Amino acid sequence: MKKLLAILLIVALSIMGSSFAQAAPVGSLSVTQGSGDSLNLSGSCGASNCTSATFYAKSNQFAGSNFMQIGQAQVDSVGKAQISYTPTWTGNTPFKVNFLGAGGSLIATQTLTFDVVKDPSGFPQSAIQFQRPLDSTGAIFVKILLTIVALVWLTLLGSFFLVVIRVPKLSKQASEEK
Amino acid sequence: MTSTLEKKEIDKITVIAPDPSWESEVREAAMRSIVTKPGKNWWIAVSLLSLVVVAGVGAWIYQLKHGMNSAGYNDQAFWAVYIADVVAFIGVSYGGAVVSAILRLSGQSWRAPLTRLSEGMALVTVLIGGAFIFPHLGRPERFLNIVAYPNFSSPLVWDFIAIATYTLATAIFFYLPLIPDMAVAKNLVDTGGKRARLFSILSLNWMGTKRQRVLLHRVLTIISLIIIPLAVSVHSVLSWAFALTSRPGWMESVFPPYFVIAALYSGTALVIVTIYAFRKGYKLERFITDRHFVRLGYMMAALGLVYAYLTVADMLTEGYTGITTGWIQQTITGKYAIPFWFYVIAGEIVPIALVVMKKTRNATGMTVAGVLVVISLWVKRIVIILPAATQPLISGQWGSYHFTWVSITVTLAGVAAIPLLLMILFRFIPLMSIDEMEDAGPLGSIEQISKETLKAAREESIPEPSKEESK
């Protein structure tokens, strides 16, 4: 019975602890379209002891189902921090900000989802097509290189097996001569 | 008929150590790591290094589960610490192999006590450097695609081919000079034991006849000749993985020689550090003297000056035009200024000063210089990679890479794996080349085998193998 009471007490304290944690200041986060393809991420800490903010985005490109760090900024005198960021994908994207205090302790956090509509196009297709040497004279170059590689492998393995095969034979021959 | 002079030269092929006490001293010293039981310090070192390696494997598994971002990567810093590790580890390997090959080809007799350790270091580091490609890939199973669906337009495919070829050459280059030593070693360990059996297999029944020696010498000369351009090609192709992209800071025509010299520079430095550690650990001061360190130190300093020249050439050429200089500003005065100037001071000024100053021109001074070069050249690779990788080509915003415990632990595991594998390897392999040491004699007076000698040996003294033998 005492054990049961002790367990209940621990469970109750854990729940209270977690509810106290939830009562910590909740920062705010806003995402707006910036100039060109960039986004402006702005967060407010909601507490006086925040020193820096770390911003994250959820992208399966680099972090699986986790948040990926996209930038850091110092919190200003009114508790705000902001960064500019250009995503390399489109679609509904969760963003998150963590406000940290001195020593790196987490003070506040906030997430929101923003629909990214602009996506930098990168290189034009023509440039990619141009970089295909196998379609042109490069094909001969590749064949020459592969031939050189094959010759090097043949020489290396040939030398190795020459020693491995010849040395025992020469020993046998020397023993017979004696 | 072979002339008397030529006959004398042929006899030099099978030089027997003139001093029997030298022979026994060499054998005892070279076999010290095999014959003596490892002490308490050896076990402590191996245990600690193994722990670091296991922690690194654990961190990599964590990275596989949580994505590349757990190692600090993101969409604006897509290449970072792991590719620096690949370049740095394969680079030092190159240095070890080429130092040994050049000294072998130029018939430098003083190389004899160093070749085994430098070739062993070359083999171990190329394996570790090659393994770093897997954490760099993020999705290691996709590595098979490079074999199944090679795109010959990509420098990465050529990287794979070059590294695989170089690894094969390094392994052969390590094994072949070992054959005569294995024949000696099998007689010095417990007869009938496992090690004696292993040594017997590896020795290929070597008897040290003239014909065997000429054969081995000839093959080693061929491999030495191959391994130098091969190593140049490996690092050139590695550099083209950067230089063939259209990123300012990477798209540089100076990159292939830049990478090759960096590899030689850091490789020579690690050879110095390796031989110092083994000399101290196995008390080899009688054979590996301060003279060896000073000569390697001269080589290192010369390479350091060439590398400094290439660094200036790279930055000046692009910086002067003022078109795409963001990465230069970031490197010299911006975010990466501290690591860059660390390289300048610890990787160039201090090591060269240590070589120049007579007071520090000894084993300890050269080793301190070597350690500084190895560390700062790794930092330099980071400085080459990160500013260019995080430079914005579209958005105008610089990306940032942040080191995490995952990337640091995986990198440290690679660093720890070098001494760990070397310590284990040399529990089974003689520390120095007994055969070459005995040939060199106490004064290191090994004679070069001239072309005439080889010709005479081939044409007259050594008959071509009979048909039955060929079969």
Side-chain angles (χ1 to χ4, degrees):
Chain A
M1 191 62 189
K2 278 182 183 174
K3 276 185 182 174
L4 187 66
L5 280 171
I7 290 165
L8 284 172
L9 188 64
I10 290 165
V11 171
L13 284 171
S14 310
I15 293 165
M16 282 167 71
S18 64
S19 56
F20 281 135
Q22 283 168 2
V26 180
S28 67
L29 173 65
S30 69
V31 180
T32 53
Q33 188 69 50
S35 61
D37 299 318
S38 69
L39 301 177
N40 289 328
L41 281 82
S42 176
S44 185
C45 176
S48 59
N49 54 344
C50 295
T51 56
S52 67
T54 309
F55 293 86
Y56 301 87
K58 196 174 264 190
S59 157
N60 59 11
Q61 285 181 323
F62 284 89
S65 57
N66 302 299
F67 277 102
M68 171 179 81
Q69 185 178 318
I70 54 172
Q72 283 180 309
Q74 294 297 310
V75 173
D76 63 16
S77 56
V78 291
K80 284 189 174 178
Q82 61 178 19
I83 63 161
S84 185
Y85 175 71
T86 306
T88 49
W89 64 87
T90 52
N92 277 323
T93 304
F95 289 91
K96 184 172 89 162
V97 61
N98 279 350
F99 287 98
L100 306 174
S105 58
L106 180 66
I107 300 201
T109 185
Q110 186 58 269
T111 57
L112 77 80
T113 300
F114 182 81
D115 188 14
V116 179
V117 288
K118 291 189 177 179
D119 178 26
S121 54
F123 286 108
Q125 193 63 19
S126 56
I128 298 165
Q129 292 293 334
F130 181 71
Q131 292 172 348
R132 286 185 176 168
L134 285 180
D135 292 344
S136 57
T137 49
I140 301 162
F141 188 60
V142 167
K143 279 173 191 163
I144 293 169
L145 281 176
L146 285 174
T147 310
I148 293 170
V149 170
L151 285 173
V152 169
W153 273 75
L154 276 174
T155 312
L156 287 172
L157 291 173
S159 304
F160 173 73
F161 285 112
L162 180 72
V163 171
V164 169
I165 294 165
R166 288 276 290 150
V167 165
K169 278 186 180 176
L170 289 171
S171 292
K172 198 179 170 187
Q173 206 175 32
S175 302
E176 283 168 2
E177 280 169 13
K178 277 180 189 173
Chain B
M1 282 296 288
T2 317
S3 70
T4 316
L5 182 68
E6 282 173 337
K7 274 183 179 170
K8 276 183 184 171
E9 283 186 272
I10 293 164
D11 286 341
K12 280 174 188 168
I13 300 171
T14 53
V15 173
I16 304 298
D19 180 1
S21 65
W22 169 254
E23 187 180 290
S24 62
E25 267 186 72
V26 167
R27 291 183 179 202
E28 185 277 322
M31 295 290 290
R32 218 168 268 168
S33 61
I34 302 172
V35 176
T36 54
K37 281 192 172 178
K40 194 178 156 188
N41 289 341
W42 191 91
W43 283 111
I44 291 170
V46 165
S47 306
L48 289 175
L49 293 168
S50 302
L51 270 178
V52 178
V53 172
V54 169
V57 174
W60 179 47
I61 292 168
Y62 180 89
Q63 178 192 302
L64 288 175
K65 202 175 166 190
H66 292 88
M68 289 299 278
N69 187 240
S70 63
Y73 287 69
N74 53 62
D75 61 334
Q76 292 171 341
F78 52 93
W79 274 18
V81 63
Y82 294 139
I83 194 71
D85 292 336
V86 171
V87 175
F89 282 100
I90 293 177
V92 289
S93 164
Y94 169 33
V98 170
V99 163
S100 180
I102 289 174
L103 296 181
R104 193 180 285 281
L105 283 174
S106 57
Q108 299 293 321
S109 59
W110 60 273
R111 76 173 194 273
L114 314 178
T115 47
R116 180 64 41 75
L117 287 168
S118 59
E119 285 158 15
M121 187 274 280
L123 180 64
V124 161
T125 46
V126 74
L127 294 174
I128 297 168
F132 264 103
I133 288 167
F134 294 100
H136 174 67
L137 276 178
R139 290 280 298 271
E141 79 281 6
R142 290 186 178 173
F143 179 77
L144 292 173
N145 290 346
I146 219 163
V147 182
Y149 314 104
N151 172 12
F152 291 110
S153 303
S154 164
L156 297 181
V157 171
W158 293 102
D159 264 341
F160 169 70
I161 292 171
I163 293 169
T165 311
Y166 173 69
T167 307
L168 174 74
T170 311
I172 294 173
F173 194 55
F174 179 72
Y175 171 63
L176 292 184
L178 202 62
I179 294 169
D181 288 6
M182 290 287 97
V184 174
K186 74 177 178 189
N187 298 321
L188 298 178
V189 293
D190 301 337
T191 317
K194 279 180 187 172
R195 283 190 300 183
R197 278 206 298 277
L198 174 72
F199 294 159
S200 181
I201 294 166
L202 292 175
S203 74
L204 305 174
N205 213 8
W206 174 269
M207 289 175 73
T209 65
K210 287 178 187 175
R211 295 179 67 189
Q212 284 178 329
R213 284 180 181 280
V214 169
L215 173 71
L216 191 62
H217 176 83
R218 202 181 295 163
V219 169
L220 275 173
T221 305
I222 292 169
I223 308 265
S224 299
L225 283 169
I226 290 176
I227 211 160
I228 296 169
L230 198 57
V232 170
S233 76
V234 169
H235 246 64
S236 300
V237 177
L238 261 181
S239 79
W240 283 322
F242 297 90
L244 299 186
T245 61
S246 50
R247 283 206 157 254
W250 284 356
M251 196 174 60
E252 310 286 337
S253 56
V254 78
F255 256 36
Y258 196 26
F259 272 52
V260 169
I261 295 296
L264 275 175
Y265 186 31
S266 56
T268 311
L270 194 62
V271 168
I272 292 174
V273 177
T274 306
I275 61 170
Y276 183 85
F278 278 88
R279 181 179 98 139
K280 200 164 178 64
Y282 289 102
K283 296 183 172 50
L284 301 173
E285 288 83 356
R286 164 102 166 82
F287 307 96
I288 302 172
T289 64
D290 276 16
R291 233 178 83 195
H292 290 104
F293 286 93
V294 173
R295 286 186 177 187
L296 287 172
Y298 286 147
M299 284 173 68
M300 187 175 70
L303 290 163
L305 287 171
V306 177
Y307 189 65
Y309 160 70
L310 289 172
T311 303
V312 173
D314 177 36
M315 288 187 160
L316 182 69
T317 313
E318 192 158 326
Y320 193 78
T321 62
I323 299 167
T324 51
T325 52
W327 67 273
I328 299 177
Q329 187 271 325
Q330 286 280 319
T331 302
I332 296 175
T333 56
K335 196 175 174 182
Y336 300 97
I338 292 173
F340 175 73
W341 291 106
F342 171 79
Y343 146 73
V344 172
I345 295 164
E348 292 286 359
I349 296 169
V350 176
I352 291 171
L354 287 169
V355 176
V356 170
M357 288 190 297
K358 202 174 178 184
K359 202 176 172 184
T360 52
R361 214 183 297 145
N362 50 41
T364 312
M366 296 305 98
T367 307
V368 170
V371 170
L372 286 173
V373 170
V374 171
I375 295 169
S376 55
L377 264 276
W378 181 83
V379 171
K380 181 65 172 29
R381 266 68 172 248
I382 290 285
V383 172
I384 288 175
I385 291 162
L386 285 184
T390 54
Q391 181 157 347
L393 297 184
I394 298 164
S395 65
Q397 301 154 22
W398 281 83
S400 69
Y401 174 79
H402 54 283
F403 282 92
T404 66
W405 70 269
V406 173
S407 56
I408 292 168
T409 312
V410 172
T411 301
L412 285 178
V415 174
I418 298 176
L420 177 66
L421 291 178
L422 282 174
M423 286 169 79
I424 293 169
L425 180 70
F426 285 107
R427 283 287 299 148
F428 300 95
I429 303 293
L431 289 161
M432 298 179 290
S433 174
I434 299 171
D435 195 54
E436 285 178 29
M437 294 277 289
E438 288 178 0
D439 272 0
L443 300 174
S445 58
I446 195 168
E447 298 292 340
Q448 288 186 57
I449 302 172
S450 66
K451 277 183 183 175
E452 290 74 24
T453 307
L454 286 174
K455 197 179 170 190
R458 194 163 54 241
E459 287 176 358
E460 295 178 46
S461 302
I462 301 165
E464 289 299 314
S466 62
K467 284 181 182 174
E468 284 120 27
E469 191 183 321
S470 301
K471 283 172 191 172

